[in-house]
Amino acid sequence: MDAAFRAHFPVLQTCVYLNSNSTGAVPRGVQEVLAGYWETLRTWRDDVWGGWHEGLDRYADGVAAFVGAPAGSVVTDANLSTLLVRVASCFDYRTPRNRVVTTDLEFPTVPFIWNAFRRHGAQPVVVGTGGPRIDQDALEEQIDERTLLVCVPHASFTSGATVDLARLVKHAHSVGARVVVDAFQTVGIMPLDVTALGVDFLLGGAHKWMCGAGTAFLYVRPDLLPDLEPAATGWQAGDRALTFQPSTGFADGAQRFAGGTPYPLTSLISQVGLDLLAGVGIETIRAHSLRCTQRVVDRAGAAGIPVVSPVGPERGGVVCLDVPDGEAVKYRLAARNLICSWRGYLRIGPHVYNTLDEIDEFMDALEQEWQGSHR
């Protein structure tokens, strides 16, 4: 990516930043948003909420466009956990259709929430994968007429292994199950067209590949919305919320999945990164990501460092390497201003603002660490 685009991200001037799968770089334009927000707070006026709601709607609809969804089908909130609970609270977990099929590669919030819903009759079924890759055949074998929901990551946070969503959705729908996709590890780095895929629910967030901070989002398939009434809710989900009169029912669109009084700052902040990414285009982002991650795969293979992630184009945006004492290695690399993350494996997540030269600089240092551990 050219120098003008890289200049939007101040952190790139201080280090080689390959950690976007964990916390993405935030653009310089956020500083102006923060200053404006402070001015609002300093001179408080109650009528600023009109503008804030416009900002919340603009970000939600911008995310919708980014994932191929119509306006009004995305709602935002503080985190994915909050939004997933609202989805879960829409359903009656009555036999015989009360199974929730997941995998053993979920982010910890997913099994925690579905286990909590056991008290309401949900029966989580966790499909073992036998390793860092998702065994889609084994997953689909567990999805039958007893399945109410299928809840899967688009890409595993530990390995970057992806699910074939088109195939999964087709199978789940054939037996009457709905599909909930955790796309936190792919929105912003991989193309997603929820309309074409027929995904029922898609969740993600701003602070990784979306170059934002502190906000998450939920897409709901529009034709499902009229029949969905979350039990976990708040006043902003009502049909008369902004009149400050008691609501008589749920709001139209994804707004029915809103909660209480929103916190607008995080959407205003995240809009800056969304605009930059949308200006580049997701196909360009994906092509650059594959070039960068292929360089990591090639360099690791040549050095003899085990690659945990898929080495083909089905991988997400991160390459995970099995490095001895990986957490300590991560900290030693950080001391040299080479930033990655560790979650059982060393995770390297280049984004559109990174260069192949940065990949080589990072891998040069990692190879030194690897050689030192194999003397």
Side-chain angles (χ1 to χ4, degrees):
M1 188 52 62
D2 62 37
F5 186 83
R6 282 171 54 84
H8 286 290
F9 300 93
V11 70
L12 303 182
Q13 300 172 14
T14 65
C15 62
V16 171
Y17 193 78
L18 301 174
N19 194 36
S20 295
N21 56 289
S22 183
T23 305
V26 174
R28 189 182 306 277
V30 167
Q31 187 172 0
E32 183 177 344
V33 176
L34 291 171
Y37 194 79
W38 164 242
E39 283 303 305
T40 299
L41 298 183
R42 184 181 68 82
T43 60
W44 180 265
R45 295 291 185 275
D46 199 38
D47 57 8
V48 343
W49 274 100
W52 281 349
H53 275 287
E54 288 176 6
L56 288 163
D57 291 344
R58 181 187 172 209
Y59 183 70
D61 287 345
V63 169
F66 199 75
V67 299
S73 61
V74 169
V75 67
T76 62
D77 212 298
N79 51 60
L80 186 150
S81 297
T82 297
L83 292 168
L84 180 56
V85 166
R86 294 202 192 121
V87 171
S89 75
C90 289
F91 296 94
D92 291 323
Y93 299 91
R94 299 174 182 172
T95 56
R97 192 181 283 276
N98 64 344
R99 299 190 351 152
V100 180
V101 176
T102 67
T103 75
D104 60 355
L105 292 178
E106 312 293 331
F107 192 79
T109 191
V110 173
F112 195 77
I113 287 171
W114 291 120
N115 281 325
F117 271 78
R118 287 180 183 273
R119 73 189 68 180
H120 301 297
Q123 292 296 315
V125 176
V126 180
V127 179
T129 64
R133 291 170 175 77
I134 296 168
D135 185 339
Q136 190 149 342
D137 290 335
L139 175 64
E140 292 178 4
E141 284 176 5
Q142 294 298 321
I143 302 170
D144 57 25
E145 286 75 9
R146 298 168 295 171
T147 305
L148 179 64
L149 297 166
V150 180
C151 186
V152 296
H154 186 199
S156 166
F157 80 104
T158 57
S159 70
T162 59
V163 170
D164 182 341
L165 288 180
R167 171 184 155 183
L168 179 69
V169 170
K170 181 179 180 180
H171 177 71
H173 285 179
S174 74
V175 296
R178 301 298 184 198
V179 179
V180 183
V181 178
D182 173 2
F184 222 130
Q185 279 293 345
T186 54
V187 175
I189 198 69
M190 291 183 68
L192 270 167
D193 186 330
V194 293
T195 301
L197 290 166
V199 167
D200 301 299
F201 305 91
L202 183 130
L203 299 117
H207 76 261
K208 298 182 187 294
W209 304 107
M210 295 291 280
C211 302
T215 196
F217 43 82
L218 164 68
Y219 158 80
V220 184
R221 209 178 87 201
D223 61 299
L224 300 179
L225 281 163
D227 297 323
L228 296 173
E229 297 186 351
T233 188
W235 72 281
Q236 293 260 320
D239 60 359
R240 300 177 67 191
L242 298 185
T243 71
F244 298 96
Q245 299 296 316
S247 288
T248 59
F250 282 91
D252 293 331
Q255 185 64 26
R256 65 178 50 213
F257 281 84
T261 303
Y263 180 51
L265 178 59
T266 53
S267 286
L268 301 177
I269 286 173
S270 299
Q271 186 70 56
V272 181
L274 175 59
D275 288 344
L276 286 171
L277 295 179
V280 174
I282 191 61
E283 296 296 339
T284 298
I285 293 169
R286 177 60 171 164
H288 184 73
S289 171
L290 287 172
R291 282 193 295 272
C292 289
T293 53
Q294 189 64 51
R295 182 68 65 93
V296 176
V297 168
D298 291 346
R299 291 286 306 264
I305 303 173
V307 178
V308 176
S309 303
V311 297
E314 71 275 15
R315 66 178 176 271
V318 63
V319 177
C320 300
L321 305 177
D322 191 3
V323 177
D325 202 17
E327 190 169 19
V329 169
K330 180 200 79 167
Y331 284 116
R332 288 198 294 271
L333 291 171
R336 300 169 63 175
N337 294 322
L338 303 167
I339 310 302
C340 64
S341 61
W342 182 86
R343 299 287 189 277
Y345 303 109
L346 203 69
R347 306 190 307 170
I348 304 162
H351 206 345
V352 67
Y353 39 66
N354 291 117
T355 67
L356 292 176
D357 286 344
E358 288 179 313
I359 303 296
D360 285 334
E361 182 179 351
F362 180 92
M363 293 304 297
D364 286 346
L366 180 58
E367 286 179 20
Q368 293 173 9
E369 291 280 347
W370 176 260
Q371 291 163 2
S373 68
H374 285 72
R375 288 177 179 171

